[in-house]
Amino acid sequence: MKISYNWLKQFIHLDWEADKTAELLTDLGLEVESVETFESVKGGLKGIVVGHVLECEQHPNADRLKLTKVDIGAAEPLQIVCGAPNVAAGQKVPVATIGTTLYDDKGEAWQIKKGKIRGEESFGMICAEDELGLGKSHDGIMVLDESLEPGTLCAELFKVENDVVFEIGLTPNRADAMSHHGVARDLKAGLLQKEISQELITPSVSSFHVDNRTLRMEVDVKDKELCPRYCGISISGVKVQESPDWIKNRLKAIGITPKNNIVDITNYVLHELGQPLHAFDANKISGNKVVVKTLEKGTKFTTLDEVERELHEDDLMICDADKPLCIAGVLGGENSGVTENTTNIFLESAYFNPVSVRKTAKRHNLNTDASFRFERGIDINNTRYALLRAALLIKEVAGGTISSDAEDFYPKKFEDFQVFLTFEKVNSLIGQNIPTDTIKSILSSLEIKINNVTETGIGLTIPSYRVDVQREVDVIEEILRVYGYNNIAFTQKLNASIASTSKFEDHKLQNVVGNQLAALGFYEILANSLTTPKYMELSNDNKSTFDVTMLNPLSNDLSVMRQSMLFSGLEALSYNINRRSGSLKFFEFGKTYHNYESGRIENKHLSILITGDQHSESWRLKNEKSDFFFLKGIINTTLERLGLDIPKSEPVTSDVFSEGLNYKLKKKKIVSFGIVNKRILKHFDIKQEVLYADFEWDAIIELAKEQHVSFSEISKFPEVKRDLALLVDKSTSFEEIYNLAKNSEKSLLKDVNLFDVYEGDKLPEGKKSYAVSFTLQDEKKTLTDKQIDKVMRKLQGSFEHQLGATLR
């Protein structure tokens, strides 16, 4: 939320520097995230002065250029080449001097420099409206009042306004501070705590009166729960035109583009007092009747953004006798708003049910300044006052007459909250004794009414604008933020307890694996658990019937909980690849969510995603693409780090993978990994191979707890390596050779390693060659050649009989 410092000063007189005010606002809980400067004219017309054209002659080398001499109040007049058709001697004109920065229509800066134009020197520039940001005309140079003195600063002449804008990170509970008046009210309380007493200036509406009753609108509120209060007034004979500069500057400072005086005033009062307003063209209201009601489901309605929307039966609408005009509290209709031809208006100020507005805005994916405030809860007692304030402003800047009484439908008055605050609770919760007089002073400065005071506490009435203060602890929070968190003393003692936990705790194993993956060049990601239901169509593993859906989704793309870790990971890959970062290694610890007939289930997972090169570019290393076996190595080392044996593998059945394997331990699937199907990658616009592994983390933790670490003395006797070049069928995998060797020789065989694979035309058809090394060791003595040869013959025999292998 943006707050203009100049606007703020209309409500409370401050002569502090903006930074000091920003600091106080932050201390009060209205965190100022940034401080920016605003100029009503970009550049502030710095370097622009009034010039008097002394001479104007034809340029000797160009038919469309003029050579002028201009007095800008300096010792000597300037020679300036000008191409405007209306420049003439005797004129007073705006002159941009050398070094001045101007801005084009796209906001790009450029600087005035001394130069030569068709052979003649030019020492400045005579400017048009659009070149200074004072208008859109480029038909010719601006011609100023003849009475102006040369050298007068144009910044003073055109009253350029400089402002400071605070960007406040407003928390959702602080609906009372969603306006300049609300922020000023907090500032007043904060200043009083610093013993600076300031009056809060509230705009007066005492001059309001009804001029005639020629345009009365009948108001009929059908749903009193969704619209507890509705106020409206008619104004005739208005002239819709551009707003005066003071309104435009206030709105532009906080990032709102001015439209016309009527719409601008509704926006002005919205940001001034926090009350949303809506102006209807009264001539477009059929039957001079305003009806507040819901409509049938499926009713079509076109909003101001020219989008036709299908209404829900719970959407509250503002209608006339025949048709809907506006989605209540959210957005107006296309054909009922104010245009340049409007002469009569009906001005609305209402209080709509926050829950209803929030659901309607979410259903239609609309987020407006009005819905932002209604959703959080506005001050119901401010509704009529804001209406009268806006009506007076419209009369001031757009003319017209008040042509009806101020209608006010308010059948059931909202009661203010009553709270009893105990001094003991204040001091125990804050941890420091705060004097009773200080507590009373703070509460009074926040306009919280003190009904009675006893020895134990205070009876309070909470003002209607503080919709978030309903309990004793809420009042204590108010006291503390005004008293100042920085004023609470630190204790000299720190209490702590040491917990005894197992080394197999989830977070500890996560740290072990996370640190290992980070050391291997992986980055940890944290994706949103909310996702789009469209992803359920990408794989048969996911079914829409298993979706855990959100009752009040932020958007359609965030309406279900994820059933798979893959798709949110692919979103992250796609985002980075599209920014020319093509070699990526990601991992994520997270959960998946399923809604089965037996109940809702959450499962913890570790996902790994790899794409692109294995290593960063280097003159020493050959660039190698990450492949299936690179991923398999990462998975094996991860399992080994957790103390798990490398399990047997089986082909993966999931259509997520084009090729892949499952690892199972004790009949439990612990990880699926492989190459992601190109059909899925195409949906994310990924054109390169992606490797993916999905660890069943809950199962892995249970298995890790069952592992027992065993220790053995390092053998004193040497290892021996022998190699075999085996000719096998193409269908034979190294895993089969590995498992057969381990089962054939369990005592002396320590390791089996594949170091070369050859497939070529020099081999028989359907065959391939594996070069395999075998590591042998006896932990009690040195192996003899006879023992080694015996083991190798045994292994060779096993390969020949069970795999049909032969030696090359």
Side-chain angles (χ1 to χ4, degrees):
M1 182 184 73
K2 291 186 175 182
I3 293 293
S4 157
Y5 198 25
N6 287 349
W7 201 344
L8 204 58
K9 290 176 183 178
Q10 292 180 203
F11 300 101
I12 187 166
H13 293 309
L14 289 171
D15 54 5
W16 283 3
E17 293 181 357
D19 289 345
K20 200 171 181 180
T21 302
E23 184 179 342
L24 178 55
L25 286 172
T26 300
D27 289 343
L28 288 166
L30 303 178
E31 182 183 2
V32 177
E33 297 177 337
S34 66
V35 179
E36 302 172 353
T37 57
F38 166 78
E39 295 169 323
S40 57
V41 177
K42 192 165 186 179
L45 299 182
K46 294 172 185 173
I48 313 295
V49 298
V50 174
H52 181 202
V53 182
L54 303 175
E55 299 175 12
C56 181
E57 300 174 353
Q58 184 66 43
H59 191 292
N61 303 317
D63 293 338
R64 295 186 180 182
L65 298 179
K66 300 288 178 64
L67 198 61
T68 67
K69 289 286 179 66
V70 184
D71 176 15
I72 63 167
E76 296 291 335
L78 301 179
Q79 177 171 288
I80 299 176
V81 176
C82 181
N86 64 327
V87 64
Q91 292 175 337
K92 297 291 177 64
V93 294
V95 176
T97 56
I98 292 173
T100 298
T101 299
L102 296 179
Y103 298 85
D104 61 20
D105 56 356
K106 296 179 181 178
E108 299 291 332
W110 58 285
Q111 197 173 59
I112 301 295
K113 298 178 181 178
K114 175 186 172 182
K116 272 192 176 184
I117 303 176
R118 292 291 186 93
E120 295 293 336
E121 289 186 320
S122 184
F123 296 88
M125 175 178 167
I126 303 175
C127 301
E129 269 186 16
D130 63 335
E131 291 165 336
L132 297 178
L134 296 172
K136 297 181 179 179
S137 173
H138 195 71
D139 294 337
I141 59 168
M142 287 185 74
V143 180
L144 307 176
D145 193 293
E146 292 182 0
S147 63
L148 294 173
E149 288 293 323
T152 302
L153 297 178
C154 286
E156 297 174 0
L157 178 63
F158 292 101
K159 297 179 181 178
V160 174
E161 181 169 336
N162 296 302
D163 198 356
V164 174
V165 180
F166 305 123
E167 181 73 45
I168 295 178
L170 199 66
T171 51
N173 64 307
R174 292 303 308 277
D176 64 295
M178 289 189 293
S179 67
H180 286 76
H181 185 265
V183 172
R185 185 167 47 208
D186 254 21
L187 268 180
K188 176 193 171 187
L191 289 169
L192 191 61
Q193 191 60 26
K194 295 180 178 292
E195 299 183 352
I196 302 172
S197 180
Q198 287 284 1
E199 179 187 359
L200 182 63
I201 302 166
T202 302
S204 173
V205 294
S206 60
S207 62
F208 175 84
H209 67 278
V210 178
D211 297 308
N212 55 64
R213 292 176 174 81
T214 59
L215 189 60
R216 183 178 179 273
M217 293 286 175
E218 181 186 350
V219 174
D220 182 12
V221 179
K222 300 289 189 185
D223 197 320
K224 301 174 181 62
E225 293 297 321
L226 299 185
C227 180
R229 188 172 191 181
Y230 190 93
C231 301
I233 199 168
S234 299
I235 306 174
S236 302
V238 299
K239 185 176 182 181
V240 179
Q241 57 188 356
E242 192 174 324
S243 295
D245 288 341
W246 65 271
I247 289 181
K248 290 194 294 184
N249 289 342
R250 291 287 176 267
L251 296 178
K252 286 193 291 186
I254 59 174
I256 296 175
T257 303
K259 295 181 180 177
N260 59 59
N261 49 5
I262 304 299
V263 174
D264 291 348
I265 286 170
T266 62
N267 283 327
Y268 184 90
V269 174
L270 166 69
H271 290 276
E272 178 185 53
L273 302 176
Q275 171 66 49
L277 304 166
H278 190 72
F280 298 90
D281 188 325
N283 295 341
K284 297 176 182 177
I285 299 177
S286 300
N288 281 13
K289 187 174 184 180
V290 174
V291 185
V292 185
K293 62 180 181 179
T294 55
L295 298 175
E296 291 183 3
K297 183 177 182 179
T299 302
K300 305 291 185 182
F301 179 67
T302 303
T303 44
L304 277 172
D305 54 4
E306 300 180 351
V307 175
E308 186 179 72
R309 303 179 187 277
E310 192 171 293
L311 299 178
H312 188 272
E313 66 266 24
D314 294 332
D315 292 337
L316 186 66
M317 302 295 295
I318 311 299
C319 308
D320 61 17
D322 302 324
K323 61 185 180 299
L325 303 173
C326 174
I327 302 178
V330 182
L331 191 62
E334 181 183 33
N335 299 317
S336 64
V338 173
T339 68
E340 59 184 11
N341 299 319
T342 298
T343 55
N344 303 320
I345 64 169
F346 176 72
L347 191 61
E348 167 195 279
S349 178
Y351 179 94
F352 299 115
N353 182 283
V355 175
S356 171
V357 173
R358 186 182 307 119
K359 288 183 176 180
T360 296
K362 296 300 180 189
R363 270 194 293 267
H364 297 291
N365 196 25
L366 289 169
N367 183 21
T368 62
D369 281 340
S371 68
F372 180 80
R373 285 159 176 79
F374 280 125
E375 287 174 16
R376 287 154 178 78
I378 61 172
D379 181 4
I380 194 170
N381 292 330
N382 201 35
T383 308
R384 179 182 168 86
Y385 166 70
L387 178 70
L388 301 185
R389 166 67 171 158
L392 289 173
L393 284 173
I394 288 173
K395 280 191 68 175
E396 178 185 340
V397 304
T401 57
I402 306 295
S403 299
S404 74
D405 291 310
E407 297 287 342
D408 190 359
F409 173 84
Y410 192 17
K412 185 178 179 181
K413 192 176 187 307
F414 276 33
E415 297 295 329
D416 292 336
F417 287 104
Q418 305 293 319
V419 174
F420 187 79
L421 177 71
T422 59
F423 299 130
E424 181 183 0
K425 183 71 171 178
V426 173
N427 296 330
S428 65
L429 202 58
I430 292 177
Q432 182 172 312
N433 289 339
I434 297 179
T436 302
D437 289 343
T438 301
I439 293 174
K440 290 161 62 178
S441 173
I442 290 172
L443 293 173
S444 297
S445 69
L446 292 170
E447 300 180 12
I448 295 175
K449 185 180 177 183
I450 298 175
N451 300 322
N452 56 77
V453 182
T454 68
E455 291 184 2
T456 58
I458 311 176
L460 305 169
T461 298
I462 310 301
S464 57
Y465 65 80
R466 287 313 303 267
V467 294
D468 61 316
V469 180
Q470 301 179 13
R471 305 167 298 166
E472 185 181 17
V473 290
D474 297 330
V475 178
I476 295 171
E477 182 184 359
E478 291 299 293
I479 293 169
L480 180 55
R481 72 180 182 83
V482 176
Y483 181 75
Y485 294 98
N486 295 335
N487 293 326
I488 304 301
F490 289 96
T491 59
Q492 300 300 313
K493 184 173 72 171
L494 177 66
N495 296 325
S497 58
I498 299 174
S500 176
T501 58
S502 166
K503 66 179 181 179
F504 296 109
E505 291 285 334
D506 184 359
H507 69 279
K508 290 186 176 180
L509 292 182
Q510 272 191 219
N511 285 339
V512 167
V513 172
N515 288 338
Q516 174 166 311
L517 291 173
L520 292 171
F522 282 78
Y523 287 96
E524 184 171 10
I525 62 173
L526 183 62
N528 200 335
S529 295
L530 296 173
T531 189
T532 172
K534 295 177 182 177
Y535 289 162
M536 300 309 109
E537 303 168 4
L538 299 179
S539 169
N540 294 330
D541 295 350
N542 307 310
K543 293 180 173 57
S544 59
T545 53
F546 297 156
D547 279 342
V548 178
T549 57
M550 306 302 294
L551 295 176
N552 187 23
L554 295 171
S555 69
N556 292 332
D557 288 338
L558 297 171
S559 59
V560 300
M561 307 292 281
R562 63 182 175 185
Q563 291 187 36
S564 169
M565 302 279 285
L566 172 63
F567 306 120
S568 52
L570 289 177
E571 286 178 346
L573 283 185
S574 176
Y575 182 89
N576 283 273
I577 290 170
N578 288 339
R579 283 151 185 81
R580 304 187 67 180
S581 180
S583 296
L584 304 162
K585 293 183 230 174
F586 290 158
F587 73 94
E588 179 186 8
F589 289 98
K591 289 184 177 181
T592 59
Y593 307 84
H594 295 80
N595 189 13
Y596 299 123
E597 289 185 6
S598 58
R600 294 176 178 172
I601 301 294
E602 293 182 17
N603 293 312
K604 189 81 174 277
H605 292 258
L606 163 63
S607 68
I608 288 177
L609 284 157
I610 302 173
T611 188
D613 297 332
Q614 292 184 22
H615 309 287
S616 300
E617 270 188 333
S618 171
W619 62 275
R620 296 181 63 244
L621 295 174
K622 181 183 176 183
N623 246 353
E624 293 184 17
K625 292 289 182 185
S626 301
D627 57 14
F628 176 84
F629 298 101
F630 178 70
L631 173 63
K632 186 177 180 182
I634 297 293
I635 293 167
N636 289 351
T637 55
T638 301
L639 295 176
E640 288 171 354
R641 184 68 182 85
L642 292 169
L644 301 177
D645 296 329
I646 305 302
K648 290 185 178 181
S649 62
E650 60 182 36
V652 74
T653 56
S654 171
D655 63 347
V656 162
F657 303 101
S658 57
E659 296 178 45
L661 295 175
N662 285 333
Y663 274 172
K664 283 188 176 180
L665 267 178
K666 298 185 177 179
K667 298 183 179 180
K668 291 182 179 179
K669 185 177 75 171
I670 60 171
V671 60
S672 300
F673 61 98
I675 302 169
V676 179
N677 198 310
K678 288 183 178 179
R679 172 182 54 82
I680 294 175
L681 297 182
K682 185 178 180 181
H683 184 86
F684 294 88
D685 195 28
I686 297 175
K687 299 179 177 63
Q688 58 193 63
E689 187 175 81
V690 173
L691 306 162
Y692 172 62
D694 181 23
F695 291 79
E696 300 284 347
W697 189 253
D698 292 326
I700 286 174
I701 288 179
E702 293 305 313
L703 291 168
K705 290 178 180 178
E706 299 173 6
Q707 302 303 309
H708 299 284
V709 178
S710 58
F711 299 89
S712 60
E713 185 179 353
I714 296 175
S715 177
K716 300 176 183 178
F717 303 98
E719 295 178 344
V720 176
K721 280 192 177 183
R722 290 290 186 270
D723 299 337
L724 291 177
L726 301 172
L727 191 64
V728 296
D729 292 337
K730 280 192 175 181
S731 60
T732 303
S733 67
F734 170 68
E735 185 178 26
E736 292 177 274
I737 295 174
Y738 180 92
N739 292 332
L740 183 56
K742 284 286 189 178
N743 291 330
S744 298
E745 178 55 52
K746 296 182 179 179
S747 59
L748 299 180
L749 184 62
K750 301 302 180 185
D751 191 23
V752 182
N753 181 51
L754 176 67
F755 63 89
D756 189 36
V757 179
Y758 175 72
E759 294 179 82
D761 53 8
K762 295 182 180 179
L763 298 180
E765 187 176 350
K767 297 290 185 178
K768 62 182 174 182
S769 173
Y770 279 148
V772 185
S773 66
F774 302 88
T775 302
L776 307 175
Q777 184 184 45
D778 191 329
E779 296 177 358
K780 297 180 181 179
K781 61 182 179 180
T782 301
L783 288 171
T784 64
D785 289 340
K786 187 176 180 180
Q787 288 175 300
I788 296 168
D789 292 341
K790 181 180 178 182
V791 170
M792 295 308 296
R793 284 195 299 272
K794 181 179 178 183
L795 291 173
Q796 182 180 340
S798 297
F799 297 147
E800 289 173 349
H801 290 102
Q802 297 191 40
L803 298 178
T806 58
L807 291 182
R808 285 187 66 196

